[in-house]
Amino acid sequence: MNFDRYKKPIAMSDPGRHAALFGSLPCDPGALARAVQGLLIHQHIAPAYGVTLDRDQKAQSHVRAVEKILDDIVTRDSRPLCTLREANARQVGVCRHFTLLHVAMLRSQGIPARARCGFGAYFEEGQHLDHWVTEYWDDAEKCWVLFDAQIDDRQRGLFRIDFDTANVPRDQFVVAGDAWSFCRSGRADPATFGILDMHGLWFIAGNVVRDVAALNNREMLPWDVWGAMRRHDGELDFGFFDQLAIVSSDPDAHIDELNALYCDERVNVPRTVFNAELKCLQEL
């Protein structure tokens, strides 16, 4: 199996001028996840930590690249990255930021890792909520492992999670391609996949595109919109998404197709995307 594309920080995961900061980090996935949790706070879970975010803090969730995330972190606090920050002094992000920073740290240790976009079944009963996790290669077990770097002890209690989030079961985190295939075959209800008031095949399709992009080292924001993404089921090219789902569900078995699909303008991340939260176009 060729891990070259996932063994080194690249593009969004590249720490750039802050690469030296990764040199003092621990070497195992669990310790790295704890470091990430000490640096970041989830925008929508901040109240559970007694933190009320102001407008400038909330704006941090729109930062895409690890280098810029680290810019903001070290500007506020120059101590080593493994030093726990107070909750109200952490960089604000969402699940994608926890995942991307974790991926960057793992790659800096030479551990193959990639961000996966899909749906978590462990936040709300009967629902699969929009979510991102790390997938890293466990060389001892010779398999890819899902790791939710966002979930600390407080969130484990908050969401009543009873499994090891360092090895998330595949029925608890469903990659976007599997979610699409399950719903298309009638094995799952698309109305249970989404976030807030946004659910359905159109939402799943958007995450399929984001997952394919992430597998090509373009880990975009969960609300970045481009290409084949649509707002209504009737506007989707179902055959095209069936193909994307098959390839992204088992990317290592379809590496050539994954590369070819990312060349398609319906999937390839353009220079300008629509930020659906800020309701504006943004250049990358």
Side-chain angles (χ1 to χ4, degrees), residues 191-205:
T192 67
F193 289 81
I195 193 76
L196 301 175
D197 61 347
M198 300 175 289
H199 295 80
L201 284 173
W202 69 269
F203 191 97
I204 299 169

Side-chain angles (χ1 to χ4, degrees), residues 215 242-252 254 257-258 261:
L215 289 167
D242 288 343
Q243 181 186 15
L244 288 179
I246 291 170
V247 171
S248 60
S249 292
D250 190 1
D252 303 302
H254 300 91
E257 292 145 284
L258 183 67
L261 283 169

Side-chain angles (χ1 to χ4, degrees), residues 122-182:
Y122 42 96
F123 298 105
E124 186 177 330
E125 186 174 357
Q127 297 294 310
H128 297 82
L129 299 188
D130 180 31
H131 196 48
W132 292 65
V133 301
T134 299
E135 188 174 51
Y136 78 94
W137 181 256
D138 185 327
D139 199 48
E141 297 296 327
K142 304 299 180 188
C143 67
W144 288 101
V145 174
L146 297 176
F147 194 129
D148 193 333
Q150 174 193 307
I151 304 299
D152 58 12
D153 288 342
R154 186 166 306 193
Q155 291 182 42
R156 186 182 303 281
L158 180 66
F159 298 116
R160 300 177 181 176
I161 297 172
D162 60 2
F163 58 84
D164 184 2
T165 50
N167 189 0
V168 180
R170 297 275 169 172
D171 63 343
Q172 290 297 309
F173 180 83
V174 184
V175 295
D178 284 343
W180 174 268
S181 298
F182 293 162

Side-chain angles (χ1 to χ4, degrees), residues 15-22 66-72 74 81:
R17 59 185 167 275
H18 300 298
L21 296 176
F22 282 1
V66 163
E67 185 174 25
K68 180 61 171 73
I69 292 171
L70 294 173
D71 273 345
D72 293 346
V74 300
L81 297 182

Side-chain angles (χ1 to χ4, degrees), residues 222-269:
W223 45 84
D224 281 335
V225 176
W226 73 93
M229 298 180 191
R230 297 292 184 269
R231 284 284 305 194
H232 303 284
D233 291 358
E235 299 173 339
L236 298 172
D237 182 338
F238 283 82
F240 181 63
F241 280 101
D242 288 343
Q243 181 186 15
L244 288 179
I246 291 170
V247 171
S248 60
S249 292
D250 190 1
D252 303 302
H254 300 91
I255 194 68
D256 291 338
E257 292 145 284
L258 183 67
N259 293 337
L261 283 169
Y262 190 65
C263 293
D264 191 307
E265 64 181 8
R266 293 171 289 180
V267 177
N268 188 273
V269 178

Side-chain angles (χ1 to χ4, degrees), residues 42 93-100 130-133 148 150 222:
H42 195 291
V94 293
C95 53
R96 174 262 183 198
H97 297 86
F98 284 82
T99 296
L100 183 59
D130 180 31
H131 196 48
W132 292 65
V133 301
D148 193 333
Q150 174 193 307

Side-chain angles (χ1 to χ4, degrees), residues 117 132 206-214 221-226 229:
C117 178
W132 292 65
N207 272 6
V208 173
V209 174
R210 294 183 188 96
D211 193 45
V212 172
L221 297 176
W223 45 84
D224 281 335
V225 176
W226 73 93
M229 298 180 191

